[in-house]
Amino acid sequence: MLVAGAGPTGLALACGLVMQGVSVRVVDTAAGPATTSRANFLHARGSEVLARLGALGSLPEESVRAMRVTTYLGDRPIMRLRFGDPGLRTAAPPMVISQARVEAALRDRLSEFGGAPEWGAPLVDAQADGAGVTAVLGDGRSVHARWLVGCDGTGSTVRRLAGIGFPGVKVSERFLLADLHLDWDLDRGGTSGWIHPAGLLGAMPMPDPDGRGDLWRLLAYDPGGTGEKPSEEEILDRFAAIIPERTGDTSVRIRDAVWLSLFTVHRRLAEAYRRGRILIAGDAAHAHAPFGGQGMLTGLGDAENLAWKLGLVVRGVAGEPLLDTYEAERRPLATEVLRGTTAVTRMNITRNAAGRFLRDQVAVRLFGLPWIQRRATYTASQLWVSYRKGPLGGAGRKPRPGDRIGDLDCVRTDGTRTRLHTALRGRWALLDPAADADGLAAAARARLGEHVVPLRPGTEGPGDALLVRPDGHLAWRGRDAAALGRWLDGVLRDGRAPR
Ligand SMILES: Cc1cc2nc3c(=O)[nH]c(=O)nc-3n(C[C@H](O)[C@H](O)[C@H](O)COP(=O)(O)OP(=O)(O)OC[C@H]3O[C@@H](n4cnc5c(N)ncnc54)[C@H](O)[C@@H]3O)c2cc1C
C-alpha cells in the first residue's frame, strides 16, 4: 500500500492500515515534519479517532481547554459560544492543540509498528493497471503497490493523475495569519473575535511548548490586500496596525513571531473519491475554510473510514465493492461540512448591510440561546455523523446501523472491564448481552477472523447484540447468528447491507 502525504490524514490512514495488518509505505514531498501548524483545534470526534488509533498519547494534557468563543463589537461582548458539552459521551475531549503535535503523535504511533514516513520523496507520476499502481518518485525511483491513496492535500498530485476533478469556488479574499507571542491581557480561556467594518479579527490561545503562556494565533480578514503577496515583515506590520484598530486596545505589544502566513478560502469537493486502484482522502478530496475547525477533523474521519475497508480488501476478506462505500459514506458528509464552513466564512466576512444586520442582530441573539449553543457544539464536534442513509446503513430502532455508538462501559470475556472505544483499536466489537460466544461471535469471527472482540455491556439488561465497526459506527444489531452471517456476507461481497 502506498500513501502519498504524511499530513494528519496520511499518517492516520497509515496507522489504521498497519493495525489491519497491511504493510504501508508513506512518502512525502516535504524535507521533514512541519514545525508550524495550520489546525489548532480538534473537535471531540477527531480526538476519538486518535484514541481509537492509540495515538492520543499525552495530547489532552498538553492541550489548552479554551472552549469558549466570545465575539465583540468594539469592546462590547455580543455573543458567547461554549464548546465541549460534557454530556456527549465521548471517548476523548475536544482540544486546542497544534496540528504539528497531532502529526507527531501519529508518527510516534506509526513508529511503534516500525513505520516512518519517507521525507523528500514526492510522488510525481502514477500509472494504474489491473493489478495495482506503479508510482514514480521525484528521484526517479518507481514503486509498485496494489493500492495508492492520495493524502497529499488540496493541490493533490494523486487526484490530478487519477483524473478526478476538483470543482469549487473562491469564497473569500485573503486572510492574514500570525502565531505571535504577545503581551496582551486577554482571557486565555477561549477564542475572541472582533467584528469591525475593516474586517474580522480572531485571537485564539495556543499551547506554548516553551511554557511562556503568551502564544496566540491571530487571523485577520484583509479584503483590501489583493496585490502582491506581502513579506513576513509586512504581515507583522499589518497586525501591529490591525490589533488596536479592530479591538480598540492600544496596550497590546508584539513580542515575537513564530509563524506568519496568509490564506484565501476556497470551497472545493472532488468529483469522486476513487478511480480503480487510486483513492484520495482529506484535503485532497475536500478543501474548505478553517473556520469551525473541520478540515483536519474530516480528514482523520476519512482515514479511519477507509483504513478498515482497505484492510479487509487487501487481506482478501472483502471484495472491491466495499471500497465504494467509502465515498458513499464520506462524500455526503464532506458536502455537509463544506456547506457549514462556507456559511460561517460568509457570515464572518459579510460587508453588506443586510448581511451585517443578520450577523450582528439576529445571529447574535440566536447563538445566545442555550439549545442553539448545544446544537452548535454538537454540529462542530461531528459526533452527529451517521452513515444510516448509506449502503451499509439501516432503519428501525435507534441506534440504527450506520449510527455512531458513544463510548460505553464493557466487560471482556475474562471478566475485566474496559470501554468500548478502547476495545476497538482497529477491531470490530461484538457487544452481546447474552455473551453467546458460540453463536453471534462465532458467526462474526468466521467472516472477519480474529479482528472481532467479544464484549458484554457493563450495565445489564436485555436487548439486541450490537456489532460495532472499527470506526465506532453500528454495523448490525439483532440476535440471530444466521442473520448476522447473511449481513456480513452481503456487505463483504457486494458492499451493500442486505435488505
Ligand atoms: C489557517 C488554517 C487553520 C486551520 N485550522 C484548523 C482547525 O483548527 N481544525 C481543523 O480540523 N482543521 C483546520 N485547518 C485545516 C487543516 O489544516 C487541514 O484540513 C489538514 O491539514 C488536512 O490534512 P491532510 O493530511 O489531508 O493534508 P495536508 O495537511 O495538506 O498534508 C498533505 C501532505 O502531503 C504532502 N504532499 C503534497 N504533495 C505531495 C506529493 N506529490 N507526494 C507526496 N507528498 C505530497 C505535503 O507535503 C503534506 O505533508 C486549518 C487550515 C488552515 C489553512
Side-chain angles (χ1 to χ4, degrees):
M1 176 79 50
L2 180 61
V3 175
T9 307
L11 291 167
L13 178 64
C15 291
L17 286 167
V18 176
M19 288 164 83
Q20 297 295 321
V22 176
S23 77
V24 192
R25 190 165 173 184
V26 186
V27 296
D28 197 294
T29 305
T35 50
T36 53
S37 268
R38 282 173 289 155
N40 209 16
F41 198 98
L42 190 59
H43 287 284
R45 188 187 169 99
S47 306
E48 279 198 341
V49 172
L50 296 180
R52 284 191 291 268
L53 291 173
L56 199 57
S58 58
L59 295 181
E61 292 77 46
E62 291 173 43
S63 67
V64 177
R65 293 295 160 76
M67 298 300 145
R68 270 195 314 278
V69 180
T70 309
T71 307
Y72 295 85
L73 251 181
D75 59 2
R76 186 166 60 92
I78 55 167
M79 175 162 77
R80 276 212 173 84
L81 254 177
R82 190 178 291 275
F83 288 99
D85 181 336
L88 291 174
R89 273 208 299 143
T90 56
M95 301 183 281
V96 175
I97 188 82
S98 79
Q99 181 168 336
R101 282 299 300 132
V102 170
E103 292 173 8
L106 285 162
R107 282 195 306 276
D108 288 349
R109 180 62 171 150
L110 189 59
S111 75
E112 286 171 21
F113 299 110
E118 294 170 45
W119 300 108
L123 181 145
V124 295
D125 198 11
Q127 299 284 337
D129 56 47
V133 181
T134 303
V136 180
L137 303 184
D139 60 4
R141 275 179 298 160
S142 74
V143 180
H144 187 76
R146 285 170 67 192
W147 298 89
L148 165 64
V149 188
C151 303
D152 48 350
T154 48
S156 173
T157 303
V158 173
R159 187 186 63 230
R160 176 176 55 76
L161 292 169
I164 299 173
F166 198 41
V169 292
K170 184 171 154 182
V171 178
S172 79
E173 299 305 330
R174 77 183 184 198
F175 280 85
L176 304 175
L177 179 155
D179 291 348
L180 301 173
H181 288 284
L182 293 173
D183 184 359
W184 195 355
D185 184 21
L186 183 65
D187 174 19
R188 284 181 69 81
T191 293
S192 302
W194 288 266
I195 294 171
H196 188 273
L200 182 91
L201 172 69
M204 178 187 240
M206 292 179 76
D208 202 349
D210 55 17
R212 287 159 63 180
D214 63 353
L215 186 60
W216 294 88
R217 154 77 45 96
L218 300 189
L219 289 180
Y221 193 42
D222 191 31
T226 48
E228 256 182 39
K229 191 176 170 192
S231 65
E232 292 196 349
E233 208 182 337
E234 285 165 335
I235 296 177
L236 198 55
D237 287 346
R238 284 287 295 135
F239 272 107
I242 282 172
I243 298 169
E245 175 196 39
R246 299 190 189 175
T247 66
D249 185 344
T250 52
S251 69
V252 185
R253 249 187 355 100
I254 298 177
R255 291 194 168 119
D256 49 280
V258 175
W259 188 38
L260 296 157
S261 186
L262 68 167
F263 63 91
T264 306
V265 177
H266 291 260
R267 185 194 69 205
R268 299 190 178 278
L269 179 63
E271 282 168 352
Y273 279 22
R274 176 182 172 212
R275 281 271 191 275
R277 295 268 168 156
I278 304 180
L279 297 114
I280 52 173
D283 273 16
H286 38 77
H288 38 99
F291 304 109
Q294 300 291 297
M296 175 165 72
L297 175 67
T298 310
L300 291 172
D302 289 350
E304 190 184 37
N305 185 288
L306 183 56
W308 66 264
K309 294 172 182 174
L310 262 175
L312 287 172
V313 173
V314 169
R315 294 207 313 272
V317 177
E320 284 191 28
L322 183 65
L323 289 180
D324 293 327
T325 69
Y326 162 60
E327 174 177 324
E329 292 188 335
R330 296 299 298 178
R331 196 168 173 278
L333 163 68
T335 308
E336 193 91 343
V337 170
L338 287 173
R339 199 173 292 138
T341 51
T342 304
V344 173
T345 308
R346 293 220 161 105
M347 186 172 88
N348 280 340
I349 64 174
T350 186
R351 306 189 84 192
N352 65 51
R356 285 211 315 268
F357 175 79
L358 277 176
R359 179 188 62 196
D360 304 347
Q361 304 296 331
V362 181
V364 159
R365 290 213 171 86
L366 281 178
F367 279 107
L369 300 172
W371 73 271
I372 297 260
Q373 297 225 348
R374 274 197 303 278
R375 184 88 210 151
T377 295
Y378 193 57
T379 304
S381 70
Q382 290 198 12
L383 295 169
W384 54 271
V385 170
S386 171
Y387 306 129
R388 186 190 301 167
K389 293 186 180 149
L392 307 183
R397 273 182 301 140
K398 288 184 187 171
R400 302 180 181 119
D403 288 350
R404 167 185 170 273
I405 304 293
D407 206 13
L408 301 168
D409 252 334
C410 295
V411 183
R412 298 189 188 92
T413 47
D414 65 4
T416 55
R417 298 192 90 85
T418 184
R419 302 283 296 172
L420 173 65
H421 288 230
T422 309
L424 287 172
R425 296 271 167 113
R427 295 170 299 187
W428 301 66
L430 183 71
L431 202 56
D432 183 2
D436 169 19
D438 296 333
L440 294 165
R445 282 207 157 136
R447 275 104 183 155
L448 299 167
E450 292 309 303
H451 289 251
V452 183
V453 200
L455 296 169
R456 209 161 30 79
T459 46
E460 297 298 331
D464 283 344
L466 306 180
L467 180 66
V468 182
R469 305 171 6 170
D471 55 11
H473 287 260
L474 181 62
W476 175 90
R477 64 180 292 169
R479 287 251 36 96
D480 177 7
L484 172 59
R486 279 195 299 281
W487 188 91
L488 279 169
D489 289 341
V491 165
L492 297 176
R493 187 185 56 233
D494 307 325
R496 226 173 327 107
R499 304 283 172 205

